Amino acid sequence: MPTILGQNQYGKAENRVVKITREGDTHHIKDLNVSVALSGDLDEVHYSGSNAHVLPTDTTKNTVFAFAKEHGIESAEAFGILLARHFVDSCEPIRTARIRVEEYTWDRIATSDANSRFIGADEVQHSFVRQGQETRTAQITYDGENVEVLSGLKGLTVLNSTNSEFWGYIKDRYTTLREDYDRILATEVTSVWRHNWTGAEGVRTPNWEKSYAQSKKHMLQAFAETYSLSLQQTLYQMGARAINSRPEIDEIRFSMPNKHHFKVDLEPFGMKNEAADGAVYLAADRPYGLIEATVLRDGAEARIPFDMTNL
Amino acid sequence: MPTILGQNQYGKAENRVVKITREGDTHHIKDLNVSVALSGDLDEVHYSGSNAHVLPTDTTKNTVFAFAKEHGIESAEAFGILLARHFVDSCEPIRTARIRVEEYTWDRIATSDANSRFIGADEVQHSFVRQGQETRTAQITYDGENVEVLSGLKGLTVLNSTNSEFWGYIKDRYTTLREDYDRILATEVTSVWRHNWTGAEGVRTPNWEKSYAQSKKHMLQAFAETYSLSLQQTLYQMGARAINSRPEIDEIRFSMPNKHHFKVDLEPFGMKNEAADGAVYLAADRPYGLIEATVLRDGAEARIPFDMTNL
Amino acid sequence: MPTILGQNQYGKAENRVVKITREGDTHHIKDLNVSVALSGDLDEVHYSGSNAHVLPTDTTKNTVFAFAKEHGIESAEAFGILLARHFVDSCEPIRTARIRVEEYTWDRIATSDANSRFIGADEVQHSFVRQGQETRTAQITYDGENVEVLSGLKGLTVLNSTNSEFWGYIKDRYTTLREDYDRILATEVTSVWRHNWTGAEGVRTPNWEKSYAQSKKHMLQAFAETYSLSLQQTLYQMGARAINSRPEIDEIRFSMPNKHHFKVDLEPFGMKNEAADGAVYLAADRPYGLIEATVLRDGAEARIPFDMTNL
Amino acid sequence: MPTILGQNQYGKAENRVVKITREGDTHHIKDLNVSVALSGDLDEVHYSGSNAHVLPTDTTKNTVFAFAKEHGIESAEAFGILLARHFVDSCEPIRTARIRVEEYTWDRIATSDANSRFIGADEVQHSFVRQGQETRTAQITYDGENVEVLSGLKGLTVLNSTNSEFWGYIKDRYTTLREDYDRILATEVTSVWRHNWTGAEGVRTPNWEKSYAQSKKHMLQAFAETYSLSLQQTLYQMGARAINSRPEIDEIRFSMPNKHHFKVDLEPFGMKNEAADGAVYLAADRPYGLIEATVLRDGAEARIPFDMTNL
């Protein structure tokens, strides 16, 4: 046969699992989208169609829901680690398991209201509103020895209405852009960061929830506090701030579209439209600049695939 | 000619206008998506292609951006009223203008941080993160005499993890559903409400921003505080609460998908999965129940089109 | 109680039903997305939560799938008529049923190949590729007496690279657009048309499949063959052609975005970019012109809701 | 500083360029979405914000449109090669350029009609309807020496209504799936294949348009003609067929969701629902199986990134 099989993987994608935990009348919610990808000794299912080494994707789905009940969902990362280890350790032909998770965050609905005529309204602890600011992500990979945990986020849209410039760039035959000393800088952050924890015995597991909250906070603050000469500079500051502030992180990759806000030309209508006076902008869809880069702790290995922030 | 022209309208849709207002170092942002639809004496452009009565959609676009600079954007509703009146009052063949607006809400990025090593971080007042919970909507229609203002929201996803039952329904040959005395109730609220203000002289204009915030709050609280025997009942309570709490609102329409969360059958794996113990649910995509209804102040006219909450 | 219930409806939306029919080795496929909306004597479920008059949406879902087996799916329209009649005629509190259908079209995969080394390849009659040009739609409403059938389509993207002009329009303070005598005209057609058949006894039922194919063909040809001075003119010609060619159609409504293709200014690079020479265009996303209108057979009643083409 | 910069790239994404070519009254259309990503000596823009080595993304956008006029668009691949070579060869700090292209296919609107009353209708050669079956893709990378060309497609949805089985798989504690000897096999193909041409002098350039059409045809035929025991087997056959039939291709990767069509249980309604009789299926959204694999010409290097088919 003149063709051979290369890298391959399979599993059930986008299992939408919601787990409610009750502490008396106070409920907690975890809302995940879990995708399983398994690889291993799987040549035959491709060559001959023999499923003798195949754990059906339907079974991987069942496992996700059963594990949510058996073990609860402490965090996306912890849940993914449990699942990845299970598939590799319990199923002989499977050598590597990769679990990808999206997490949707819910806030409580504030029902307490001094002016409320509805008795007991302040005691409702089972009502939630989806937060919507960003989607939290995680990818856990286990190869029978080591665990690799990538945490991340996507859809986090941020904007600075000043403290952004762009000038001093290369000019060639196709250049028409004017330099700008006071522009809007806006982007929709996709970011993936790698924890240096690998599941080795005796090494303390990070507090995934706290690590996420702090990493997001540091990135947001670096975005806000950087006086920007380029979106690349802002990106680098965001990554450096996260790594410098969080010892558990060794590597972070960003995909940041430059969401252009063009100052509208109002001269034909006899109006000025200067940033300093509070300008009117057209928020453009396409095309957009797209800035992607990895920031590494000095000495750390680069392991996050370049396209991962683009999924 | 055996065919004739019926209702028609035209205009520029989805003008993405962002207005920054500066108060010293403190910036404010309004981020709208504005769609203009004009109708009037427009038979000829359809029959013969004569554009003599046509204000080009490009001009309506320019007007949106110019007005944002000339008048600022106090609120989606106020901005829409200005635009609607302008098109009808300034362009003879145009008899009716309908302005639809989507508004995206931004929160400030909290940069103040007791532990921050970044001097001055707490003074950044030009950095924003998109909120993402719901999209605010408005529709303003002006026919040369009266203004009709519909405010609304979409994409507001809410969930009660208990206090919802469903039983006592009709059974027929095709019924398989089991009654449920403790289910998850989740929906993504789309809602449009009509203000009784019509722009008549001497009648005080509502405070659109406050009206919106309070209406949303009352709907959320009614969702949380209703012990639900059907999604219809919850819907009605949300509408009644809004109208009873806000004298400026006469009519409200909802489109609320029943976002099914199915308790997963874990019996095959030897596990119980009871709501009372904190269950695991499958969040389903399609099909979904779809509940739509109008709630009216007694005596008020029903004017919101049935499909409008579905756009 | 100072509030009352207005128009309301409920049902199961987006039932994705696929029916295979086998004629020996030749298979046929019907692939629908069916949404049910019921209304009637339903006040109590809103006011008190009593479900005594409620046929559960789960049952309406079951009915869709059972009917696909019992009756087959001859066409989206015929299937919708069966369902609408069933719900109203078999369930006392239900007075009106509205069935909305999306249909996805599949082509056969051509496996016959003169050069094929794969014996028997030309006999495969069970392999399909989704066509993707447009989505076919239908809405059937039955109130216990009459049936109203709206057929339609959405997502049909068409483009004329010449024979389109735009000039002679109103100029005001906000006009900057230049007149154009050779522009691209492109739109994504959404269209809904009403059949004059109402299910009255003795009146022949249209051939829904043929009616759809012919209506689409006439609209496409009218788009291609109209020398256009405005998108409104083209729209009207499309509607008039359909009604004049198809006696079973009395009314048609269109929603047609003007998908702007802007000639790129290449002067800064020393190049001309004229339509007559074969120009380069930027295909813009937003904003876009949006042209909506109804065309009626003279004397026919206008019944299609204005927003329906916008869903 | 304890952090360093890793892999990075930037450019303008999603330039929507449409080129019309006129041959007398016969027009031709090329409709592309072009994304540019440049990398090279770009540390300083990240570390200090100096743009001295930055060719602005705005300039890369201008270049795309200017090149479409200067050179025309023969094919997505040829256009991408021109652009990639230009950026690396003309801009010193840029060492690698990667051009990604989506192409949208248009068919001519058939206006010839024996029954047409519209004179000259059969001569319209400037009217197009978007085809919609799949989106064609290409990625061209140039590092100053070699060109790598990946062609591909996405959104090609195919279905076999028989000749698919699934049985003989691993059973564990979480298995509930029943074996199936006659199921629907449906997937939405995403595929990327690598040409062995690298731009070396004296080596004939592939005919990109023909290569694409033939590759797609062979994959479709292999899908239709494979009696399938697993989706993996079908995938492998599609890849092997493409490589065996097209000597210019060395490697191909697929991402193929298993679009589940579940036979609906109609037993509660007293009906059988067997595949052999023409069954009714529920087309499910999520979760779905996801099968991904690379097929290689024996001896060829695996170079397509695993995630690329997932973008």
Side-chain angles (χ1 to χ4, degrees):
Chain A
M1 185 167 22
T3 57
I4 57 164
L5 182 68
Q7 196 276 352
N8 60 87
Q9 61 198 23
Y10 81 103
K12 195 69 102 193
E14 303 212 36
N15 298 283
R16 290 283 292 106
V17 58
V18 171
K19 174 73 176 73
I20 302 294
T21 307
R22 297 187 175 198
E23 285 187 295
D25 286 343
T26 300
H27 293 201
H28 305 276
I29 184 170
K30 276 286 180 183
D31 183 2
L32 305 184
N33 190 19
V34 179
S35 296
V36 175
L38 308 178
S39 49
D41 183 5
L42 292 160
D43 286 11
E44 273 313 305
V45 65
H46 294 85
Y47 289 140
S48 71
S50 162
N51 292 301
H53 286 189
V54 172
L55 187 72
T57 65
D58 189 77
T59 304
T60 67
K61 174 200 71 178
N62 287 346
T63 308
V64 168
F65 288 100
F67 266 50
K69 182 66 187 171
E70 278 183 300
H71 306 286
I73 299 177
E74 198 189 293
S75 67
E77 287 84 355
F79 189 59
I81 292 166
L82 277 175
L83 285 168
R85 283 186 161 144
H86 165 78
F87 290 120
V88 173
D89 293 346
S90 72
C91 188
E92 201 282 325
I94 302 306
R95 305 289 153 70
T96 302
R98 187 199 74 195
I99 312 295
R100 284 186 175 163
V101 187
E102 292 185 346
E103 178 170 355
Y104 314 109
T105 305
W106 296 80
D107 294 329
R108 289 187 190 279
I109 296 178
T111 48
S112 175
D113 190 336
N115 303 314
S116 180
R117 292 162 295 161
F118 300 88
I119 307 303
D122 56 333
E123 289 170 12
V124 175
Q125 294 296 332
H126 59 259
S127 287
F128 304 91
V129 57
R130 197 161 143 170
Q131 198 229 3
Q133 194 171 79
E134 88 274 14
T135 298
R136 184 174 164 181
T137 62
Q139 174 180 299
I140 296 87
T141 311
Y142 176 64
D143 62 4
E145 289 194 33
N146 294 310
V147 180
E148 181 190 80
V149 178
L150 306 182
S151 298
L153 57 80
K154 61 183 178 181
L156 185 69
T157 303
V158 290
L159 181 150
N160 284 330
S161 53
T162 189
N163 285 12
S164 167
E165 308 186 4
F166 188 57
W167 49 267
Y169 41 76
I170 294 171
K171 276 93 183 175
D172 76 0
R173 183 188 162 196
Y174 299 106
T175 303
T176 55
L177 186 74
R178 293 209 185 157
E179 302 195 328
D180 196 341
Y181 295 86
D182 192 354
R183 65 171 187 172
I184 280 185
L185 188 73
T187 185
E188 184 183 325
V189 182
T190 304
S191 178
V192 172
W193 52 93
R194 184 169 56 79
H195 297 271
N196 43 40
W197 180 85
T198 58
E201 263 187 77
V203 180
R204 193 181 185 154
T205 309
N207 178 332
W208 306 112
E209 303 293 72
K210 184 179 172 194
S211 177
Y212 177 82
Q214 288 293 311
S215 300
K216 177 185 164 186
K217 188 192 77 173
H218 287 298
M219 283 185 271
L220 280 177
Q221 291 185 350
F223 176 81
E225 294 163 13
T226 300
Y227 191 103
S228 176
L229 300 173
S230 71
L231 184 49
Q232 283 93 330
Q233 184 195 17
T234 295
L235 178 158
Y236 187 78
Q237 288 302 316
M238 293 167 69
R241 182 88 67 104
I243 289 174
N244 287 331
S245 305
R246 304 300 312 170
E248 73 273 23
I249 300 176
D250 266 11
E251 179 186 11
I252 182 164
R253 186 165 177 85
F254 294 92
S255 178
M256 289 177 27
N258 195 338
K259 292 174 76 74
H260 303 306
H261 286 68
F262 295 114
K263 238 180 297 177
V264 180
D265 177 11
L266 302 175
E267 295 253 352
F269 322 127
M271 284 182 262
K272 286 194 176 174
N273 190 28
E274 299 294 334
D277 304 327
V280 172
Y281 300 85
L282 166 71
D285 295 308
R286 296 192 295 184
Y288 50 88
L290 183 56
I291 313 299
E292 300 173 290
T294 296
V295 182
L296 289 157
R297 186 177 299 282
D298 202 0
E301 195 187 350
R303 295 176 53 89
I304 303 174
F306 305 160
D307 280 329
M308 238 211 91
T309 36
N310 237 343
L311 296 180
Chain B
M1 186 168 20
T3 57
I4 57 165
L5 180 69
Q7 196 276 351
N8 61 87
Q9 60 198 22
Y10 80 102
K12 194 70 101 193
E14 304 211 34
N15 298 282
R16 291 282 293 107
V17 59
V18 172
K19 175 73 176 72
I20 302 294
T21 307
R22 298 188 175 198
E23 285 187 296
D25 287 344
T26 300
H27 293 199
H28 305 277
I29 183 170
K30 276 285 181 184
D31 183 2
L32 306 184
N33 190 19
V34 179
S35 295
V36 175
L38 308 178
S39 49
D41 183 4
L42 292 160
D43 286 10
E44 272 313 303
V45 65
H46 294 86
Y47 289 140
S48 71
S50 161
N51 292 300
H53 286 188
V54 173
L55 186 72
T57 66
D58 189 78
T59 304
T60 68
K61 175 200 69 178
N62 288 346
T63 309
V64 169
F65 288 101
F67 267 50
K69 182 66 187 171
E70 277 182 301
H71 306 286
I73 300 177
E74 199 189 290
S75 67
E77 287 84 355
F79 189 59
I81 293 166
L82 278 174
L83 285 167
R85 283 186 161 143
H86 164 79
F87 290 120
V88 173
D89 293 346
S90 73
C91 188
E92 202 283 325
I94 303 305
R95 304 288 152 71
T96 302
R98 188 198 72 195
I99 312 294
R100 284 187 175 162
V101 187
E102 293 185 345
E103 178 170 356
Y104 314 109
T105 307
W106 296 81
D107 294 329
R108 288 188 190 279
I109 296 178
T111 49
S112 174
D113 190 336
N115 303 314
S116 182
R117 291 160 296 161
F118 300 88
I119 308 303
D122 58 333
E123 287 169 15
V124 174
Q125 295 294 332
H126 59 259
S127 287
F128 304 91
V129 57
R130 196 161 145 171
Q131 197 230 3
Q133 194 171 80
E134 89 274 14
T135 299
R136 184 173 163 181
T137 62
Q139 173 179 300
I140 296 88
T141 311
Y142 176 64
D143 62 3
E145 290 194 33
N146 293 311
V147 180
E148 181 190 80
V149 178
L150 306 181
S151 297
L153 57 81
K154 60 182 179 182
L156 185 69
T157 304
V158 290
L159 181 150
N160 285 330
S161 53
T162 189
N163 285 13
S164 167
E165 308 187 4
F166 188 57
W167 49 268
Y169 40 77
I170 295 172
K171 276 93 182 174
D172 75 2
R173 181 186 163 198
Y174 299 107
T175 303
T176 54
L177 186 73
R178 293 210 185 157
E179 303 195 327
D180 197 341
Y181 296 84
D182 191 354
R183 64 172 188 172
I184 280 185
L185 188 73
T187 186
E188 183 183 325
V189 183
T190 304
S191 177
V192 172
W193 53 92
R194 182 168 57 80
H195 298 270
N196 43 40
W197 180 87
T198 58
E201 263 187 77
V203 181
R204 192 182 184 152
T205 309
N207 178 333
W208 306 111
E209 302 293 72
K210 184 180 172 193
S211 178
Y212 177 82
Q214 289 292 311
S215 300
K216 177 184 165 187
K217 188 191 76 173
H218 287 298
M219 283 185 271
L220 279 177
Q221 291 185 349
F223 175 81
E225 295 163 13
T226 300
Y227 191 103
S228 177
L229 300 174
S230 72
L231 185 49
Q232 282 94 331
Q233 185 195 18
T234 296
L235 177 157
Y236 187 78
Q237 287 302 318
M238 293 167 69
R241 184 88 67 103
I243 290 175
N244 287 330
S245 306
R246 304 300 311 170
E248 72 273 22
I249 300 177
D250 266 11
E251 180 187 10
I252 182 163
R253 186 166 176 85
F254 293 92
S255 179
M256 289 177 26
N258 195 338
K259 293 174 75 76
H260 303 306
H261 286 68
F262 296 115
K263 237 180 298 177
V264 180
D265 178 10
L266 301 176
E267 295 253 352
F269 322 127
M271 283 182 261
K272 286 194 176 173
N273 190 28
E274 300 294 334
D277 304 328
V280 171
Y281 300 85
L282 167 71
D285 295 309
R286 296 192 295 184
Y288 49 88
L290 183 56
I291 313 298
E292 299 173 291
T294 296
V295 182
L296 289 157
R297 187 178 298 284
D298 202 0
E301 195 189 350
R303 295 177 53 89
I304 304 174
F306 305 160
D307 280 329
M308 239 210 91
T309 36
N310 236 343
L311 296 181
Chain C
M1 187 167 20
T3 57
I4 56 164
L5 182 68
Q7 196 276 351
N8 60 88
Q9 60 197 22
Y10 80 102
K12 194 71 102 193
E14 303 213 35
N15 298 282
R16 290 283 292 107
V17 58
V18 172
K19 174 73 176 71
I20 302 294
T21 307
R22 298 187 174 200
E23 286 187 295
D25 287 343
T26 299
H27 293 200
H28 305 276
I29 184 170
K30 275 286 181 184
D31 183 2
L32 306 184
N33 190 19
V34 179
S35 296
V36 175
L38 308 178
S39 49
D41 182 5
L42 292 159
D43 286 9
E44 272 313 304
V45 66
H46 294 85
Y47 289 139
S48 71
S50 161
N51 292 299
H53 286 189
V54 173
L55 187 72
T57 66
D58 189 77
T59 303
T60 67
K61 175 201 70 178
N62 287 346
T63 309
V64 169
F65 288 100
F67 266 51
K69 183 65 186 170
E70 278 183 300
H71 305 286
I73 299 176
E74 199 189 291
S75 67
E77 287 84 355
F79 189 60
I81 293 167
L82 278 175
L83 285 167
R85 284 185 161 144
H86 165 78
F87 290 120
V88 174
D89 293 346
S90 73
C91 188
E92 201 282 325
I94 302 306
R95 304 289 153 70
T96 302
R98 188 199 72 196
I99 312 295
R100 283 186 174 163
V101 187
E102 293 185 345
E103 178 170 355
Y104 314 109
T105 306
W106 296 80
D107 294 329
R108 289 188 190 279
I109 296 178
T111 49
S112 175
D113 190 334
N115 303 314
S116 180
R117 292 162 294 160
F118 301 88
I119 307 304
D122 56 334
E123 289 169 12
V124 174
Q125 293 297 330
H126 59 258
S127 286
F128 304 91
V129 57
R130 196 161 144 169
Q131 198 228 5
Q133 194 171 79
E134 88 275 14
T135 298
R136 184 173 164 181
T137 62
Q139 174 179 299
I140 295 88
T141 310
Y142 176 64
D143 61 3
E145 289 194 32
N146 294 309
V147 180
E148 182 190 78
V149 179
L150 306 181
S151 298
L153 56 80
K154 60 182 179 181
L156 185 70
T157 304
V158 290
L159 181 150
N160 284 330
S161 53
T162 190
N163 286 13
S164 167
E165 308 186 3
F166 188 58
W167 49 267
Y169 40 77
I170 294 171
K171 277 93 183 173
D172 75 1
R173 182 187 162 196
Y174 299 108
T175 304
T176 54
L177 186 73
R178 293 208 185 158
E179 303 195 327
D180 196 341
Y181 296 85
D182 192 355
R183 65 171 187 172
I184 280 185
L185 188 73
T187 186
E188 183 183 324
V189 182
T190 303
S191 177
V192 171
W193 53 92
R194 184 169 56 79
H195 297 271
N196 42 40
W197 180 85
T198 59
E201 263 188 75
V203 181
R204 194 181 183 155
T205 309
N207 178 331
W208 305 112
E209 302 293 73
K210 184 179 172 194
S211 178
Y212 177 82
Q214 289 293 311
S215 301
K216 177 184 165 186
K217 188 191 78 173
H218 288 297
M219 282 185 271
L220 279 178
Q221 291 185 349
F223 176 82
E225 295 163 12
T226 300
Y227 191 103
S228 176
L229 300 173
S230 72
L231 184 50
Q232 283 93 332
Q233 184 195 18
T234 295
L235 178 158
Y236 186 78
Q237 287 301 316
M238 292 168 70
R241 183 87 68 103
I243 290 174
N244 287 330
S245 305
R246 304 302 311 171
E248 72 272 22
I249 299 177
D250 266 12
E251 180 187 10
I252 182 164
R253 186 166 177 85
F254 294 92
S255 179
M256 290 176 30
N258 195 339
K259 292 175 75 76
H260 303 305
H261 286 67
F262 295 115
K263 238 180 296 177
V264 181
D265 178 10
L266 302 176
E267 295 253 353
F269 322 127
M271 283 182 260
K272 285 195 177 173
N273 190 29
E274 299 294 334
D277 304 327
V280 172
Y281 300 85
L282 167 71
D285 296 307
R286 296 191 297 183
Y288 49 89
L290 182 56
I291 313 299
E292 300 172 291
T294 296
V295 182
L296 289 158
R297 187 177 298 282
D298 202 0
E301 195 188 350
R303 295 177 53 89
I304 303 174
F306 305 160
D307 279 329
M308 237 210 91
T309 36
N310 237 342
L311 298 180
Chain D
M1 188 167 20
T3 57
I4 58 164
L5 181 68
Q7 196 276 353
N8 61 87
Q9 61 198 21
Y10 80 102
K12 195 70 104 193
E14 304 212 34
N15 298 282
R16 291 282 292 106
V17 58
V18 171
K19 175 72 176 72
I20 303 294
T21 307
R22 298 187 175 198
E23 285 187 296
D25 287 343
T26 300
H27 293 199
H28 305 276
I29 184 170
K30 276 286 180 184
D31 183 2
L32 305 184
N33 190 19
V34 179
S35 296
V36 175
L38 308 177
S39 49
D41 183 4
L42 292 160
D43 286 10
E44 271 314 304
V45 66
H46 294 85
Y47 289 139
S48 71
S50 161
N51 292 300
H53 285 188
V54 172
L55 186 73
T57 67
D58 188 78
T59 304
T60 68
K61 174 201 69 177
N62 288 346
T63 309
V64 168
F65 288 100
F67 267 50
K69 182 68 186 168
E70 277 183 301
H71 305 286
I73 300 176
E74 199 190 291
S75 67
E77 286 84 354
F79 189 60
I81 292 166
L82 277 175
L83 285 167
R85 283 186 161 143
H86 165 78
F87 290 121
V88 174
D89 293 346
S90 73
C91 187
E92 201 282 324
I94 303 306
R95 305 288 152 71
T96 302
R98 187 199 72 195
I99 311 295
R100 284 187 174 162
V101 187
E102 292 185 346
E103 179 170 355
Y104 315 109
T105 307
W106 297 80
D107 294 329
R108 288 188 190 279
I109 296 178
T111 50
S112 174
D113 190 335
N115 303 314
S116 181
R117 292 161 295 160
F118 300 88
I119 307 303
D122 57 331
E123 288 170 12
V124 174
Q125 294 294 333
H126 59 258
S127 287
F128 304 91
V129 57
R130 196 161 144 170
Q131 198 230 2
Q133 194 171 80
E134 89 274 14
T135 298
R136 184 174 163 180
T137 62
Q139 174 179 297
I140 297 89
T141 311
Y142 177 64
D143 62 4
E145 290 194 32
N146 294 311
V147 180
E148 181 190 79
V149 178
L150 307 181
S151 298
L153 57 80
K154 62 182 177 182
L156 184 69
T157 303
V158 290
L159 181 151
N160 285 330
S161 53
T162 190
N163 285 12
S164 167
E165 307 186 4
F166 188 57
W167 49 268
Y169 40 77
I170 294 172
K171 277 93 182 173
D172 75 1
R173 181 188 162 196
Y174 300 107
T175 304
T176 54
L177 186 73
R178 292 208 184 160
E179 303 195 328
D180 197 341
Y181 295 85
D182 191 354
R183 64 172 187 170
I184 280 185
L185 188 74
T187 186
E188 184 182 325
V189 183
T190 304
S191 177
V192 171
W193 52 92
R194 184 169 56 79
H195 297 271
N196 43 40
W197 180 85
T198 58
E201 264 187 77
V203 181
R204 192 181 185 155
T205 308
N207 178 332
W208 306 111
E209 302 293 72
K210 184 180 171 193
S211 177
Y212 177 83
Q214 289 293 311
S215 300
K216 177 185 166 187
K217 188 192 77 173
H218 287 298
M219 283 185 270
L220 279 178
Q221 291 185 349
F223 175 81
E225 295 163 12
T226 300
Y227 191 103
S228 177
L229 300 173
S230 72
L231 184 49
Q232 283 93 331
Q233 184 194 18
T234 296
L235 178 157
Y236 186 78
Q237 287 302 317
M238 293 168 69
R241 184 87 69 101
I243 290 174
N244 287 331
S245 305
R246 304 301 311 171
E248 72 273 22
I249 300 177
D250 266 12
E251 180 187 10
I252 182 164
R253 186 167 176 85
F254 293 92
S255 179
M256 289 177 29
N258 194 338
K259 292 174 76 75
H260 303 306
H261 287 68
F262 295 115
K263 238 179 298 177
V264 180
D265 178 10
L266 302 176
E267 295 252 353
F269 321 127
M271 284 183 261
K272 285 195 176 174
N273 191 27
E274 300 294 334
D277 304 327
V280 171
Y281 300 85
L282 167 71
D285 295 307
R286 295 193 295 185
Y288 49 88
L290 183 55
I291 313 298
E292 299 172 291
T294 296
V295 182
L296 289 157
R297 187 177 298 283
D298 203 0
E301 196 187 350
R303 294 176 54 89
I304 303 174
F306 305 159
D307 279 329
M308 239 210 92
T309 36
N310 236 343
L311 296 181

